[in-house]
Amino acid sequence: MDLLQQCAQWFENGEHQKIVDAIEALPAEERTPELDSELARAYNNVAEATDRKLFRKAVSLLKRHEAYFEGDHRWNFRLGYAYYYLDQEGRALHHFREALAALPGDEDTQNFIDDCERRISLPRFAENFRERTASVWKRFAAEEAELRRIMDEDTEHVRGDELIEKCGDILREAIENQAFELGFNGEKYELILTPEGSIEVLLEDCYFQRHVPAEVAAHWNILVGRQRMSGLALDAGEGPIRGEDVQVWLEAGKGERFGVALYCEKLLPLLEEDEGRVWWLLTTLTDQLLGELVNMRYIRSFDVLKAPAEGKSCLLSELPEELERRGAKLDITPEEVIAEHYTFYSLDPSEDPNADYRLDTISGASLCPTLVSEYLQEEDSMVDALQADGAVAGFFIYPLSGFRGENRSEEILALRDRAKARMETPEGAECCSFIGGATGLFNGYLDFIAWDFDATVRRMRTFFEAEGLPWLAARVFRRDARPLSIYDKESRED
């Protein structure tokens, strides 16, 4: 009997831990995709419903073999199952549908699909982002002394991987893909949360930072955004690349944002061999020399050139001073980046009153335009990423039929401003962040990321009822999610 057959027997006997022990004991070179899939199933079966660590291990194992198991029922079912118990029903639904396509009529798969379709409309979490933030800081406070001890003892800087693993294991309980750096400034230890250019992660990081407990703050500076570093060099394989090796051309844009085009003669051979590596080197070097927040605030586009451009240029090492000369603020805060990040847009509205919500949009403003564009294109990547962290990206829907007269537009915007203010009070900011809104032919839309979805709904229901709106609904930024009726005074069914 080979190991796969033995695993099948253990599975039938409910001896899932034996599967885990046997496969984990194998040398890496003896682990086949089939054995990894069996191990992932065993993790799924051993795990308690709230054991996110084991379910994440199952996901990681299965994702390694995505191409190998393309179209496979069991692989898709096992991955969907792990996502389901990670409260990531959007991702789970995709894989359960793939599993059903591979094995039509399978009752277990169909039951999961039905439940996922309900849950994507009304997200539920074992712990939402608000609760996860509190849990992670509690754990960090309990374990931070060990992190400090390792950093103090690691005078040869050989324990970096161990530090990153220990700290990352803590942080990912709140933010699934949180990038970060650790350091010591001579007085205090530093944990630097890096949003990697994502405004959505920046919002998460700012919320997380605001809740640092006093016992942690006594020893640590919790910073958001990779800090500016001068004199940095990156290894390009044939030698270091510094800011002095790179020319930059700036193109001014709207809102004091600039397009940058970079040329580096030293990287031309590598550009022919590995263009992606060159882009990574130059974007990383730019990010480090400017600081991540300055980059997010002032750089709107990035290009790598194969030949020098015309016109005046500066060295990449001189770019911070050049931006400052043009009015940029180099000591910008995360809150200032957020305040200046809104995108204003207009659409060709559908005049069909029965069209899907938001398709009647005339104009809007969004801090997170990716959420709006993905919703319109029936994509869910960003919503799924936020849901993985226990956060809900959505919008409230309210009727505009009661707004009439020559001041109609001003009154609609004034209502949105009052709703925004309601969200941005200290109590409101605990449960959600305002990220924009839109005006349609028939409805208004108020966009949010909820750190605590239930508390957000309760708070905004009170607001809209007090404003005299006849009904209110909410919807996750998913086209396949159903709208949720919050109240309806016209039908009296709330």
Side-chain angles (χ1 to χ4, degrees):
M1 180 184 298
D2 65 19
L3 185 52
L4 276 175
Q5 292 171 324
Q6 179 65 73
C7 287
Q9 184 173 320
W10 281 330
F11 175 78
E12 291 299 324
N13 295 336
E15 298 174 303
H16 308 296
Q17 189 60 50
K18 288 185 177 180
I19 301 174
V20 172
D21 295 339
I23 299 179
E24 285 187 340
L26 289 175
E29 61 272 15
E30 295 183 22
R31 293 263 294 270
T32 65
E34 288 81 6
L35 285 172
D36 277 350
S37 182
E38 289 300 317
L39 179 56
R41 178 170 67 168
Y43 286 148
N44 282 344
N45 286 301
V46 167
E48 298 292 333
T50 57
D51 190 348
R52 290 200 294 269
K53 189 170 184 177
L54 279 179
F55 288 121
R56 281 200 302 267
K57 288 178 72 172
V59 168
S60 178
L61 269 178
L62 292 165
K63 292 288 284 182
R64 293 177 196 172
H65 307 295
E66 185 168 4
Y68 183 88
F69 285 112
E70 183 178 5
D72 182 76
H73 167 78
R74 287 180 295 181
W75 181 86
N76 276 290
F77 185 91
R78 291 166 185 177
L79 186 52
Y81 187 96
Y83 277 136
Y84 178 87
Y85 282 100
L86 286 167
D87 296 326
Q88 299 179 37
E89 289 85 5
R91 290 171 174 167
L93 181 58
H94 166 75
H95 288 288
F96 283 132
R97 286 172 173 166
E98 291 291 312
L100 190 65
L103 187 61
D106 183 68
E107 186 175 348
D108 287 342
T109 306
Q110 186 62 60
N111 288 338
F112 273 112
I113 288 173
D114 294 341
D115 198 43
C116 285
E117 288 176 344
R118 289 190 293 269
R119 287 173 177 265
I120 62 170
S121 300
L122 184 60
R124 287 289 180 263
F125 306 101
E127 278 189 317
N128 59 39
F129 186 76
R130 182 182 190 175
E131 294 163 334
R132 292 184 194 186
T133 295
S135 296
V136 166
W137 278 128
K138 182 178 180 180
R139 182 180 168 191
F140 191 93
E143 300 182 27
E144 60 85 22
E146 173 68 5
L147 296 176
R148 288 189 283 118
R149 184 188 64 78
I150 295 173
M151 293 172 72
D152 291 343
E153 294 176 354
D154 188 25
T155 56
E156 300 297 323
H157 305 292
V158 296
R159 300 180 69 181
D161 290 345
E162 178 187 359
L163 271 170
I164 294 299
E165 177 58 32
K166 284 182 177 293
C167 189
D169 187 57
I170 299 171
L171 296 180
R172 72 173 61 96
E173 289 298 319
I175 304 176
E176 184 181 53
N177 292 312
Q178 179 66 67
F180 64 94
E181 297 173 357
L182 295 168
F184 182 69
N185 66 8
E187 296 181 1
K188 296 181 78 172
Y189 301 86
E190 292 186 331
L191 170 61
I192 304 167
L193 307 171
T194 63
E196 304 278 76
S198 167
I199 190 68
E200 293 83 5
V201 178
L202 180 61
L203 288 167
E204 291 182 306
D205 287 346
C206 286
Y207 185 93
F208 190 71
Q209 180 196 44
R210 289 199 304 270
H211 291 81
V212 57
E215 61 266 36
V216 172
H219 300 287
W220 293 80
N221 288 328
I222 309 301
L223 307 174
V224 174
R226 189 178 290 112
Q227 304 299 290
R228 180 183 172 190
M229 297 175 62
S230 59
L232 182 73
L234 294 179
D235 182 12
E238 297 297 326
I241 298 296
R242 296 180 171 84
E244 293 81 4
D245 300 319
V246 184
Q247 288 178 268
V248 181
W249 286 262
L250 277 176
E251 178 186 356
K254 295 181 180 179
E256 299 178 332
R257 303 194 74 199
F258 301 89
V260 296
L262 284 73
Y263 171 75
C264 180
E265 185 175 1
K266 284 186 176 182
L267 290 176
L268 288 181
L270 183 60
L271 188 61
E272 295 296 324
E273 299 173 9
D274 190 349
E275 184 175 347
R277 171 72 175 166
V278 172
W279 275 77
W280 180 86
L281 285 165
L282 292 180
T283 54
T284 301
L285 192 59
T286 302
D287 206 38
Q288 294 280 17
L289 292 173
L290 287 178
E292 189 172 14
L293 297 179
V294 172
N295 198 348
M296 289 182 69
R297 167 63 182 89
Y298 293 106
I299 305 303
R300 62 175 173 81
S301 64
F302 189 95
D303 195 15
V304 175
L305 304 177
K306 295 183 177 180
E310 296 181 356
K312 183 180 178 181
S313 68
C314 68
L315 298 178
L316 183 57
S317 57
E318 301 168 341
L319 183 57
E321 290 71 25
E322 179 63 22
L323 287 174
E324 191 171 36
R325 189 182 67 79
R326 299 195 188 199
K329 181 180 177 182
L330 299 184
D331 60 346
I332 195 166
T333 66
E335 291 74 21
E336 288 172 317
V337 174
I338 292 168
E340 298 292 337
H341 207 274
Y342 281 92
T343 296
F344 297 89
Y345 60 91
S346 59
L347 301 174
D348 184 17
S350 170
E351 298 183 10
D352 179 1
N354 296 315
D356 207 356
Y357 284 125
R358 226 180 169 100
L359 298 189
D360 67 330
T361 295
I362 302 168
S363 62
S366 180
L367 178 60
C368 305
T370 298
L371 286 168
V372 176
S373 63
E374 285 192 354
Y375 173 85
L376 295 174
Q377 296 170 35
E378 301 186 51
E379 298 176 1
D380 307 316
S381 296
M382 186 55 66
V383 175
D384 285 339
L386 287 164
Q387 186 166 347
D389 300 335
V392 178
F395 54 92
F396 290 105
I397 310 155
Y398 50 93
L400 299 181
S401 55
F403 293 87
R404 299 184 179 88
E406 59 183 23
N407 295 323
R408 181 177 185 271
S409 296
E410 290 81 359
E411 290 175 359
I412 290 172
L413 291 176
L415 172 65
R416 191 192 304 168
D417 287 342
R418 291 194 296 274
K420 177 177 181 287
R422 173 77 169 172
M423 287 185 173
E424 292 179 340
T425 62
E427 297 83 1
E430 277 298 297
C431 59
C432 68
S433 289
F434 171 86
I435 60 168
T439 300
L441 293 176
F442 311 108
N443 302 303
Y445 306 98
L446 182 74
D447 305 340
F448 62 85
I449 294 177
W451 316 120
D452 181 333
F453 183 64
D454 291 344
T456 299
V457 168
R458 289 193 300 269
R459 184 171 183 79
M460 298 314 294
R461 171 178 180 147
T462 301
F463 168 80
F464 280 104
E465 281 189 310
E467 289 285 337
L469 275 295
W471 58 265
L472 178 69
R475 188 175 191 175
V476 177
F477 267 105
R478 296 182 188 274
R479 289 292 290 280
D480 57 351
R482 296 186 298 273
L484 305 171
S485 176
I486 308 302
Y487 71 83
D488 190 340
K489 297 183 182 299
E490 294 175 340
S491 68
R492 312 307 301 173
E493 292 180 355
D494 61 309

